[in-house]
Amino acid sequence: MMFKSTLTPLFSILPAKPITPKLFHYRTISITNTFTPNPPSVRQNASSNTVTIPPPQLPPTSAYIHLPFCRKRCHYCDFPIVALGSSSNQTNDDDPRILNYVQLLCQEINATKLASNTNPPLKTVFFGGGTPSLVPPRLVYSVLEVLRLKFGLSSNAEISMEMDPGTFDAKKLKELIGLGVNRVSLGVQAFQQDLLKACGRAHGLEEVYEAIEIVGSCGVENWSMDLISSLPNQTPEMWEESLRLTVEAQPTHVSVYDLQVEQGTKFGILYTPGEFPLPSETQSADFYKMASRMLSDAGYNHYEISSYCKSGFECKHNLTYWKNKPFYGFGLGSASYVGGLRFSRPRKIKEYMGYVQNLENGLVDCRGNDPIDAKGMAMDVVMLSLRTARGLDLKSFREVYGGSLVFSLFKAYKPYVESGHVVCLDEHGTAVSADELNTALLDVDKIRQRLAYIRLSDPDGFLLSNELISLAFGVIAP
């Protein structure tokens, strides 16, 4: 998995700027084969909320594949990438950097130990980057074939690929479709030439329209468009235009990311968050609300903080993340979640080469020896669930982590239920009023019987997700 760390959903407490909660508790694999240890497992907190370790996970049925190649590094990007140069063409058939990396990637997949003796076939594969569409189809085929031989590949697997305008034509896309790629994630980001140039994007507006036309002409029904808000000098009129043109292009999925300025990037050198020419936090929140309103009005379901889709077109691979299910990750800087442990690979090519060599020699144990941090797992479940429109499933959470913890969460969220930022639902999906919650808080059994889900409201609750998730963390591990 490679989360878009520079393009995070808007976790914001207005007007103050908070610290974004850490998404995951990762162990970092280095070429010396040591893990950065997690804090010791703690079973009970000061509030007497018992946090138990969940039962063993099923084997992963999803795999993230990192293909790090780009024509150039965008000004906001801090991903582990390999810049091929702006002159790189759409074929890149003989580029040794791509050939050698794909060979190394396949070696890593082959050397990976299976999660169990009974492994179901992969149901989702996601090629992320970087710009995976720069990789020749024949090399994509070699990766898919290694995955098929190693893990098996379901006949109806969702196989997604991130693609940038200007890096593919109809011939290449048809070849990829023939290999099994059935979902395209198109990195448009903006519909204004000046904004694309200001971001350091390798493509222009003309290539955006060409790419949309190619996707349509090739008959790709399941495709997504990526947009970025809060860019330098971006106005509400520009953002409205980008959203309107996105709706007109009729993708079945839209991902909307709010720019986060990262240290070490060109934007990190040039700009300070919240200061001109970047929008203020209030303006960023208005951008988020505009996206929620316009896309919802156009028939898109806002099923996750940054994700919208037509009915039935949720990204199945990303749902693996939001549902806290296990997944494999392969390639430079990618992360996996197997056996209840999260771990990431080196972000630099030389270190990654060493990691793969040690993996082949049996010197790397991705399972680790440290005890599982039950409280960290509970925090992951809460944070990931509250990103979604479905919210936190209280029954399953209670079964694993205990009813007293659920009760404490409700007590902490009571003021936000009253303010409308948090929504409680019964088993039929009907909202439970603040008065009903107050009554239920007098009796633990009533909470168990009456309340089935807890979620954040759209868009106001999502805009306060940083504060609300941090509040839950404080309940779980004070």
Side-chain angles (χ1 to χ4, degrees):
M1 180 187 66
M2 186 67 63
F3 271 119
K4 301 195 173 185
S5 55
T6 54
L7 300 174
T8 60
L10 189 63
F11 293 122
S12 208
I13 309 170
L14 301 175
K17 187 179 182 72
I19 298 174
T20 302
K22 186 176 181 180
L23 288 180
F24 297 111
H25 311 278
Y26 282 119
R27 299 165 185 261
T28 302
I29 297 175
S30 68
I31 58 173
T32 56
N33 312 314
T34 58
F35 291 92
T36 302
N38 279 337
S41 178
V42 179
R43 296 298 187 90
Q44 194 170 36
N45 66 25
S47 302
S48 297
N49 289 324
T50 301
V51 181
T52 57
I53 296 177
Q57 291 181 331
L58 296 173
T61 58
S62 294
Y64 172 85
I65 310 297
H66 191 63
L67 299 178
F69 306 102
C70 288
R71 288 181 286 182
K72 56 187 290 193
R73 181 179 289 276
C74 299
H75 297 340
Y76 50 75
C77 176
D78 72 342
F79 290 173
I81 70 161
V82 176
L84 300 176
S86 298
S87 60
S88 60
N89 57 40
Q90 293 184 3
T91 56
N92 297 305
D93 281 335
D94 300 318
D95 192 313
R97 293 168 293 184
I98 298 179
L99 292 170
N100 293 338
Y101 176 83
V102 170
Q103 180 179 353
L104 193 64
L105 177 65
C106 291
Q107 289 175 225
E108 182 197 354
I109 296 171
N110 275 322
T112 298
K113 295 179 181 178
L114 295 176
S116 74
N117 294 327
T118 56
N119 286 273
L122 296 176
K123 296 179 180 178
T124 75
V125 176
F126 195 102
F127 289 97
T131 308
S133 48
L134 284 170
V135 176
R138 65 183 180 86
L139 296 181
V140 174
Y141 168 79
S142 66
V143 176
L144 285 172
E145 191 63 16
V146 170
L147 288 173
R148 184 178 289 107
L149 293 173
K150 181 73 177 184
F151 304 105
L153 196 58
S154 175
S155 59
N156 61 346
E158 176 193 85
I159 302 178
S160 303
M161 176 174 283
E162 292 181 346
M163 308 182 76
D164 277 359
T167 63
F168 65 97
D169 54 17
K171 179 177 180 293
K172 175 183 273 190
L173 181 53
K174 287 178 181 178
E175 285 186 58
L176 292 169
I177 293 171
L179 298 178
V181 174
N182 51 27
R183 185 177 183 277
V184 170
S185 180
L186 190 62
V188 171
Q189 318 308 0
F191 278 88
Q192 294 78 33
Q193 181 66 34
D194 289 346
L195 286 185
L196 292 173
K197 185 176 180 180
C199 289
R201 296 292 290 175
H203 70 262
L205 190 56
E206 183 178 346
E207 290 170 305
V208 167
Y209 287 113
E210 289 176 354
I212 293 172
E213 173 64 27
I214 292 170
V215 170
S217 67
C218 290
V220 180
E221 183 182 16
N222 191 0
W223 71 285
S224 179
M225 188 181 293
D226 285 0
L227 296 177
I228 307 176
S229 63
S230 301
L231 293 170
N233 295 301
Q234 190 175 38
T235 65
E237 292 75 21
M238 291 177 179
W239 183 233
E240 188 277 336
E241 180 183 45
S242 287
L243 290 167
R244 176 174 53 80
L245 293 172
T246 295
V247 170
E248 290 178 6
Q250 298 183 328
T252 48
H253 189 284
V254 182
S255 294
V256 175
Y257 301 102
D258 187 77
L259 176 70
Q260 182 146 330
V261 177
E262 298 287 347
Q263 292 184 353
T265 65
K266 188 168 183 178
F267 276 2
I269 297 171
L270 294 175
Y271 305 126
T272 300
E275 296 183 8
F276 186 82
L278 295 180
S280 66
E281 292 220 9
T282 299
Q283 290 171 322
S284 293
D286 289 340
F287 285 156
Y288 187 84
K289 291 178 180 179
M290 185 187 297
S292 178
R293 183 183 69 254
M294 290 184 63
L295 292 172
S296 296
D297 288 348
Y300 290 89
N301 301 318
H302 194 179
Y303 73 98
E304 187 270 335
I305 281 182
S306 61
S307 305
Y308 302 77
C309 72
K310 295 290 188 178
S311 181
F313 286 95
E314 295 87 353
C315 178
K316 294 178 182 178
H317 182 85
N318 284 347
L319 285 176
T320 299
Y321 305 149
W322 313 140
K323 292 180 179 180
N324 204 36
K325 292 183 177 181
F327 54 87
Y328 294 109
F330 301 107
L332 190 70
S334 64
S336 296
Y337 181 35
V338 181
L341 298 176
R342 303 182 188 275
F343 47 90
S344 58
R345 286 142 190 79
R347 291 171 58 92
K348 296 182 179 180
I349 286 289
K350 287 186 178 180
E351 293 180 3
Y352 174 63
M353 291 174 63
Y355 159 73
V356 173
Q357 182 178 355
N358 287 345
L359 185 67
E360 290 181 313
N361 292 334
L363 301 176
V364 176
D365 183 2
C366 297
R367 295 169 295 184
N369 298 312
D370 296 330
I372 294 175
D373 180 9
K375 291 197 174 187
M377 295 182 74
M379 288 190 284
D380 284 351
V381 172
V382 170
M383 187 214 66
L384 291 167
S385 297
L386 291 183
R387 288 180 60 107
T388 68
R390 183 172 183 261
L392 177 64
D393 183 336
L394 297 174
K395 181 180 179 181
S396 61
F397 188 78
R398 184 187 298 108
E399 288 175 350
V400 175
Y401 299 105
S404 61
L405 183 55
V406 171
F407 184 78
S408 296
L409 285 173
F410 272 115
K411 288 178 64 177
Y413 281 148
K414 176 183 172 183
Y416 297 95
V417 174
E418 295 172 348
S419 66
H421 293 91
V422 173
V423 181
C424 301
L425 304 171
D426 63 17
E427 61 182 7
H428 304 295
T430 303
V432 175
S433 69
D435 289 340
E436 290 178 286
L437 176 61
N438 289 335
T439 301
L441 285 173
L442 299 175
D443 186 342
V444 175
D445 288 334
K446 286 186 178 180
I447 287 183
R448 183 181 295 110
Q449 296 166 7
R450 185 79 176 89
L451 304 173
Y453 293 92
I454 187 169
R455 54 154 296 179
L456 307 186
S457 62
D458 178 15
D460 293 329
F462 282 155
L463 285 169
L464 280 181
S465 56
N466 186 25
E467 178 179 351
L468 297 171
I469 290 169
S470 295
L471 187 62
F473 286 4
V475 171
I476 297 169

